[in-house]
Amino acid sequence: WVYHSQLGWLYLEFTPVPESVWMYHSEVGWLWTTLKQFPYVYNSYDNVWMFINLVHNSYFNYTNRKWMQFSER
């Protein structure tokens, strides 16, 4: 587990692919990304790509085209 100042607690699961990581977030589930793709992440639970906006503590869901806020930490 690691603590991210904007996202809160994340569980990280590194993959054999260099610079690729799965991370678990309690609100949105399992997310996959790479160093080059972040802040774009793939949400495996909803089968959707998302954009994480760290400045506004929010994310954009490309399937339903909605911005959502992460809970306050």
Side-chain angles (χ1 to χ4, degrees), residues 17-36:
V17 178
E19 301 178 352
S20 172
V21 65
W22 281 96
M23 51 190 160
Y24 179 79
H25 187 278
S26 62
E27 290 180 45
V28 293
W30 284 101
L31 305 171
W32 174 85
T33 193
T34 68
L35 187 60
K36 291 182 181 179

Side-chain angles (χ1 to χ4, degrees), residues 34-67:
T34 68
L35 187 60
K36 291 182 181 179
Q37 289 177 309
F38 190 83
Y40 297 93
V41 298
Y42 175 74
N43 179 323
S44 67
Y45 181 76
D46 293 325
N47 196 30
V48 63
W49 281 94
M50 298 170 22
F51 174 82
I52 295 179
N53 185 324
L54 296 175
V55 174
H56 296 288
N57 200 29
S58 61
Y59 60 93
F60 183 77
N61 179 316
Y62 283 95
T63 297
N64 64 19
R65 300 192 178 279
K66 291 184 181 178
W67 282 99

